[in-house]
Amino acid sequence: MERKMTFEELWERGERDGLLVQLKQGFPRWQRRRRMRRTAFVSVAVLLVGGAIMLWHPSRESLRYDSVCCNRNVFPDSHWADVAHHILTIESL
């Protein structure tokens, strides 16, 4: 046996159905905004971490070599150290 619904119950049901339709229509937009915010947050975090690593990483240019081993002794050790530094710097760029 089906019970008759009162006006209040019908009103609440109508409100609930209307809100349900609004939620179903708004969900894809909400999901897209959420995904965009998450992507933006992750991108900024990666950039900040990368920037911090670049800023606080010890500079390789300040490293000096104690000695150089070379078969040719015509040139001074400093020449070969400068050549090696130049080659390593160009290849790392």
Side-chain angles (χ1 to χ4, degrees), residues 18-30 32:
L19 290 174
L20 184 62
V21 168
Q22 286 179 352
L23 286 174
K24 283 182 181 180
Q25 290 173 346
F27 183 71
R29 282 180 280 166
W30 172 81
R32 188 171 39 252

Side-chain angles (χ1 to χ4, degrees), residues 59-71:
S59 175
R60 300 240 183 249
E61 294 179 18
S62 64
L63 297 176
R64 298 304 300 169
Y65 300 97
D66 294 334
S67 65
V68 176
C69 297
C70 182
N71 291 336

